[in-house]
Amino acid sequence: YVVAAPDNSIDTATLTEYLAHRLPSYMVPSAIMVLDRIPLSPVGKLDRKALPNPVFTDTKPFRAPETPLERTIARYFADVLKVDTVGLDDSFFALGGDSVVATRVAARLGAALNTEIPVRLLFEASTVAALATRIAQNSGTGRQRPPLIAGPRPDLVPLAPAQQRMWFFNQYDTRSGAYNVPIAIRLRGELNIDSLRLAVVDVLRRHESLRTRYPDHDGTLIQLIEPADEVDPELALVSVPQSQLDATVAEFVTEGFDVSTRAPVRARLFRVAGREEPEYILAVVVHHITADGFSMTPLARDVTTAYTARIHGELPSWTALPVQYADYALWQRATLGSPDDPESLCAQQIRYWSATLDGVAEELRLPTDRARPVVMSNRGATIDYTLDAELVQVLERFARQHSSSLFMVIHSALAVLLARMSGTTDIPIGTPIAGRGAAELDDVIGMFVNTLVLRTEIDLDESFTDLLGRTRQTDLDAFEHADVPFEQLVDQLAPQRTQSRHPLFQVMLAFQNLEQVNLELPGLDISVVDLPNEVSRFDLQFVLSDDRNSGGMAATVTYATDLFDTATINSLIHRWIRILQSAATDPTLPVGTIDILEPAERTDLLTHSGTPATTPTTLAELLTTAAAQDPDATAIVFDGQQLNYRELDERSNGLARVLTQRGIGPEDVVAIGLPRSPESVLAVWAVTKSGAAFLPIDPTYPTERITHMTTDSKTAVGLTSTSVRTQLPDNIDWLTLDNLHQADNRPVTDDDRVRPLHIYDIAYVIYTSGSTGLPKGVAVTHRGLSSCATE
């Protein structure tokens, strides 16, 4: 290989490594010459005598697989990665494999060998030879799964678990297109419309999923497959002016379905009016309950195959599908088993996820431009970026050096970004997994995609390299427990249900390496239409794919417009790229010290200065000082009552003395079991002035929850009122405010308290909702509250 590099930007080692990871081992050159120019002879041919001595590499010669197991592995590597030949020493990742594709290879090998192949095995032994050795050593140790075949079906075919959640989303609002999956193709030239209509019917006959509706049959959700002749795809021909084309197509693909009454698939042919050369847009849209994004490849391929046959007066000659989606749904349920059976695959994986996601925060609180609405609209917008080829190559090399994948590197960087921006270190990120491991599903249209929750704890003092090691473990563990459907996991973990956020995670990361379809139709110029995405099912979604033009990666960031402005997301993306660049430049740098500020931002910040720092103080002192500044100002207004700051200050002093006389003070916890009222504010001030920490309790909480909170926090005394006392448990001593004789209202100081009050004493205790287990208490000190109050 002779390479000309006029700017000397390519060195031999880099080029050798690049080729070694882009070509099968038998094609990697044994010698490479890098020149600042190509020496030519006077007649313009390469002057071989003028070439310098080549630099020889230690590339191994090609070795062909020998044993049946080695040949099987090589065949599946080649099949999934779309390469012609794979040798014994070829690495799965060097050939272009990644974390997502690894799950497909593991599934197919497992099915072929009738054993379980853990995904991590591909990371630990990525070459054909090494993987064959490991599989031989582990032979017979994995769980055997039933074969995926088209067997007998019951009279009522149930929905697959992934479809059930889609059904509830749809029935909540059948007008919404939030879960539509569209595709649009531009056709220029002489189109045979009758042949196209016949081709669409052919595709409906081929795929049962495209003619399936999902009714509720006596309380059971079922798949009802309609005869192909009774399904109308609505392939009407509509003439539209060019100026209205985009809006018309967008309106068509975003219109909702009612999946319970008809098969959720529509097709329409739009002709661009006023064109000399005929131009059409073929738009097809299905609901997510019927198809996923990966289904668009076999759908487009089958339409083109059928059309090509029909214009010649023939039937499409495709091979019959080995299974249909209904067969898969039955097989999946049989494979998973019942969650009530502790030995089932479903129960085992649910136990893993229950432990992994125990205590995960219900919401990742990123800095938003607007408060989160009670009901998210699912409206979204997208921003496209490109990660340049040089950065991607460095990150790929870094991943291989640490037996990881590029996905794991990207995941680590995104987790660091979210930690730095949210101020928390517990970062859950969702990722889709295709769910098409079995080769029988390659050409089937259906809802196979599953969602995993990747939970990463960020240590801001550790290096990016160390973080990658932990992320690798997290991701591999998740991939090995990817069978249980996300919808079933949500049902089992039962997080707090709300329409204001996605359960368990709000940020999605996806690698979308969809197979490219060769769209060729006789007499037509064909191209895929980029449809605007105005839907966001998550707060943020990062989708990355190979950019074949630049050699880098295309990154599409979709965001909820309910929460974010475009400028905010642009800023977020720039910070994420800075983290990736830092990882590429110096992965030993602690992730908490990575500079995520733009130079202009840093310059701007350095030109500002705040007020002099204030000495931290206790919450009791802050309240007393605030009351003294304007004692006659109104402090509380409630149901026609008013209380000024002087009255609130004096009455809380009196109540605080009642507590101190009972031995209550710093390091103690006092429960406040009062409904929203002036007394509830008074109680907080009084407990704070006594030096104790207050524990807010809603009297409407279940008795078991209140008992747990007061017992867990070691609370001995509580403040309440006669009106709600009977709603509270008797495990502590409750003082009713309306029956207390308050002491004098002089200010309370350390001389009056049972112990001196310090800024590091606990000021209040708050408990989580307990949606994923028992409520967990969090204590906040006076110093922490003082900082918030000062701000």
Side-chain angles (χ1 to χ4, degrees), residues 608-626:
H608 298 281
S609 61
T611 58
T614 57
T615 303
T617 185
T618 65
L619 182 58
E621 291 171 319
L622 285 171
L623 297 178
T624 301
T625 301

Side-chain angles (χ1 to χ4, degrees), residues 426-541:
D426 188 0
I427 307 298
I429 297 174
T431 193
I433 188 166
R436 293 173 179 262
E440 293 85 353
L441 301 177
D442 281 357
D443 296 328
V444 178
I445 294 173
M447 172 55 173
F448 298 99
V449 69
N450 195 17
T451 303
L452 306 180
V453 186
L454 309 176
R455 184 183 186 184
T456 306
E457 179 68 32
I458 302 296
D459 180 354
L460 297 177
D461 293 327
E462 73 178 336
S463 68
F464 192 90
T465 300
D466 291 339
L467 171 61
L468 177 61
R470 292 195 299 106
T471 301
R472 175 183 182 275
Q473 185 67 37
T474 295
D475 293 357
L476 289 178
D477 288 345
F479 293 144
E480 286 185 16
H481 297 84
D483 297 284
V484 60
F486 179 77
E487 293 71 23
Q488 199 164 0
L489 183 63
V490 171
D491 289 340
Q492 291 292 323
L493 299 183
Q496 182 182 8
R497 297 303 182 98
T498 173
Q499 296 179 56
S500 68
R501 60 175 175 264
H502 192 273
L504 301 181
F505 69 91
Q506 291 82 49
V507 179
M508 172 74 84
L509 171 64
F511 269 36
Q512 187 170 283
N513 294 323
L514 301 181
E515 181 182 345
Q516 296 296 307
V517 183
N518 185 21
L519 296 175
E520 292 184 1
L521 293 177
L524 292 169
D525 179 24
I526 303 178
S527 60
V528 177
V529 178
D530 290 330
L531 296 171
N533 181 16
E534 298 179 350
V535 172
S536 181
R537 304 181 190 123
F538 312 97
D539 293 1
L540 287 170
Q541 178 170 328

